[in-house]
Amino acid sequence: MRWLVILVVVVVVATIYAVIDCAMMAHDRVRGLSKPVWLVIILLLPVLGLILWFTVGRGRAGQVARPRLAPDDDPAFIGTLGRDKEQDERIRRLEEELASLDSDDVDPHEPDGSKPTPDKHPDPKQKPDDTGRADA
């Protein structure tokens, strides 16, 4: 019976300490949920609320909150814009190269300027091998 009384006193003291700690904590050091929600959790779930507050909700003292910036004010985001333009230009050039390879126009890489033509009438005496090629 004496242990139960001591346990209840410890839980009550820890709950009061956690409520005061949560209420006095700066907003930028509270993690996970807002301060009023943490206060409700601490009060409604005395033991579990205490454990959650001290492990999850409470930020470290040396923790510096990074201000949230709009994308056009964030230097890291602005730095990526130039790379996106370079990547877009590279993709555009690759698409042009692929389109020129797929087209029926004259291939500029052929030495005589002619376009490569597949054999329209392959030799009927040659039989295709395992790979389906008749010239092997």
Side-chain angles (χ1 to χ4, degrees):
M1 181 71 172
R2 192 167 68 189
W3 290 104
L4 183 61
V5 172
I6 293 173
L7 183 64
V8 169
V9 169
V10 168
V11 169
V12 168
V13 169
T15 302
I16 291 171
Y17 176 76
V19 167
I20 293 171
D21 186 44
C22 180
M24 301 301 287
M25 184 76 59
H27 286 285
D28 58 346
R29 285 189 52 204
V30 177
R31 295 185 299 177
L33 303 169
S34 65
K35 284 172 58 170
V37 174
W38 275 116
L39 289 170
V40 170
I41 290 173
I42 292 168
L43 292 172
L44 291 180
L45 306 169
V47 176
L48 184 61
L50 293 170
I51 294 170
L52 289 173
W53 168 248
F54 288 114
T55 57
V56 176
R58 189 170 193 228
R60 294 188 179 101
Q63 179 181 359
V64 177
R66 208 176 102 187
R68 294 183 183 219
L69 298 173
D72 55 346
D73 293 334
D74 188 5
F77 175 76
I78 292 174
T80 63
L81 292 179
R83 284 185 278 164
D84 290 343
K85 289 179 183 177
E86 292 170 3
Q87 288 176 352
D88 289 343
E89 177 63 26
R90 182 173 172 228
I91 290 172
R92 186 189 61 75
R93 279 186 277 123
L94 288 173
E95 286 176 347
E96 286 177 359
E97 288 178 22
L98 287 173
S100 69
L101 290 174
D102 288 341
S103 69
D104 290 334
D105 296 339
V106 175
D107 187 8
H109 300 295
E110 289 293 319
D112 60 352
S114 65
K115 60 181 177 180
T117 56
D119 290 337
K120 293 185 181 181
H121 303 288
D123 189 7
K125 294 178 185 172
Q126 289 182 340
K127 294 185 179 181
D129 62 357
D130 301 10
T131 61
R133 293 177 45 195
D135 59 343

